Amino acid sequence: MTASLEMPRVQECAVRSCAYNHTNDCHAFAITIGSSDHAHCHTFVEMPVRGGIDQLVAQVGACSRADCRHNGDLECHAPAITVGPDMDLADCMTYENR
């Protein structure tokens, strides 16, 4: 039997230019975080249309920043995250180096 874990929610997204951002809420089903040099949101996309699911608040599906204190086995274990501009247009602001 497979146990289902609740993934951390994207509590807030301050990147208004993202197609998944409606009103500082991310409506993608799940996002992926992490680049080799910073905690970039790989789900970020700029388009003239809005996407995602209105009734849904995004979750963190995967995180490749193994050096983050919230990361265990490439899964985020923070209670929730925020996304905003830092080194890139859309980065995980909850990232903390170990």
Side-chain angles (χ1 to χ4, degrees), residues 19-84:
Y20 290 107
N21 187 331
H22 294 207
T23 54
N24 284 355
D25 294 325
C26 180
H27 292 277
F29 183 76
I31 68 169
T32 299
I33 299 291
S35 293
S36 61
D37 61 341
H38 67 285
H40 174 71
C41 176
H42 285 281
T43 311
F44 167 77
V45 61
E46 283 185 288
M47 295 182 74
V49 297
R50 293 289 172 202
I53 304 166
D54 283 337
Q55 305 87 332
L56 185 78
V57 175
Q59 305 171 85
V60 181
C63 178
S64 61
R65 291 307 309 230
D67 61 338
C68 179
R69 75 174 197 94
H70 301 291
N71 193 313
D73 299 322
L74 300 180
E75 300 292 334
C76 182
H77 294 281
I81 71 160
T82 59
V83 175

